[in-house]
Amino acid sequence: MKNARHTVPVDVQLLNIAADQLRRHGPKHVTVVGIADAAGMTHANVYRYFASKAALIDAIAGQWLRRMEAIIADIADSPDPADDKLERLIQAWAHTHRELLKEDRHLFSVYCSATETSRALVRKHRARMRVLIERVLDEGIVTGKFDPRDRERALHFISDAVYRFINPLTVRLDADVPQDILDQRLAAMIRVILRSLEIGTI
């Protein structure tokens, strides 16, 4: 008996093709017609799944953001103490940005553009990341690891303190800074964050 052949959904197939073309050629050279040709369909059929080229490219960026969120969620849900989790979470958050910059500069540029124009996918991503940070902060408060004066200010303090390492626009500005230097700077900021949350200066 032959095994049933696994069929990739059309929208996933189109995203895979578009992501490959984006990686190789950049967003300006990605076309709906080219994606349709590679998929063996008409360009009109592509529009059944994605309203425009911009929507297709945003969907590629959205895929990457969700993968990053899954990494962060795994850390947030781990059984480790809240202070350890917050440290690892911030490190992973920064690392995934730097990794994308090195491995797929065209997709990183799309992410930067979406951030500059505050597109919906970025706003939704920020909201989901806030929930994950809140989860770890609240756990730390409940377990006595953290004792902030003001929970809301503490949340803002965390994101402000690591802004340079998790905002794609500033990450791009630091593209030529050696990784070991960035690691030292990030480690220093993490120490400040954890100490401030521990003794309640925020």
Side-chain angles (χ1 to χ4, degrees):
M1 181 177 176
K2 293 181 179 180
N3 293 328
R5 186 173 63 182
H6 176 68
T7 303
V8 178
V10 175
D11 59 336
V12 175
Q13 180 187 6
L14 293 172
L15 278 174
N16 289 340
I17 293 170
D20 180 63
Q21 293 191 2
L22 175 64
R23 186 178 299 108
R24 289 189 288 116
H25 307 301
K28 290 183 179 180
H29 299 288
V30 174
T31 66
V32 172
V33 171
I35 293 167
D37 286 345
M41 64 177 67
T42 66
H43 70 279
N45 199 42
V46 175
Y47 290 122
R48 292 177 54 198
Y49 299 92
F50 298 97
S52 64
K53 169 186 165 178
L56 185 53
I57 290 179
D58 273 3
I60 298 168
Q63 277 188 324
W64 180 81
L65 289 173
R66 286 190 294 276
R67 286 195 295 270
M68 181 179 71
E69 290 160 12
I71 292 170
I72 301 304
D74 283 345
I75 296 172
D77 293 336
S78 70
D80 303 316
D83 52 345
D84 289 346
K85 287 201 285 192
L86 185 58
E87 179 175 1
R88 289 197 297 117
L89 185 155
I90 292 171
Q91 288 173 338
W93 198 359
H95 175 74
T96 52
H97 281 77
R98 185 78 173 187
E99 191 174 58
L100 182 67
L101 175 63
K102 291 179 179 178
E103 295 182 356
D104 194 340
R105 284 181 177 258
H106 291 311
L107 179 55
F108 196 86
S109 293
V110 169
Y111 179 26
C112 286
S113 175
T115 300
E116 287 177 312
T117 55
S118 192
R119 293 208 289 274
L121 80 159
V122 171
R123 295 197 303 273
K124 291 176 182 177
H125 165 67
R126 287 173 177 165
R128 290 190 291 263
M129 289 299 297
R130 177 187 168 93
V131 168
L132 295 172
I133 298 296
E134 283 181 317
R135 189 183 305 170
V136 177
L137 177 62
D138 289 342
E139 181 183 323
I141 293 172
V142 169
T143 58
K145 288 288 185 180
F146 303 144
D147 186 26
R149 296 181 183 179
D150 185 290
R151 176 182 179 276
E152 191 67 19
R153 286 179 60 191
L155 284 168
H156 291 307
F157 174 68
I158 293 168
S159 59
D160 289 348
V162 298
Y163 182 87
R164 175 177 187 167
F165 308 95
I166 52 87
N167 183 291
L169 304 178
T170 52
V171 171
R172 184 169 60 183
L173 288 175
D174 282 340
D176 295 328
V177 178
Q179 185 64 54
D180 61 332
I181 299 298
L182 290 174
D183 289 342
Q184 291 171 18
R185 292 173 177 172
L186 178 60
M189 294 312 302
I190 291 174
R191 288 195 296 271
V192 170
I193 291 169
L194 294 178
R195 183 59 176 163
S196 298
L197 292 176
E198 178 187 350
I199 65 177
T201 57
I202 297 298

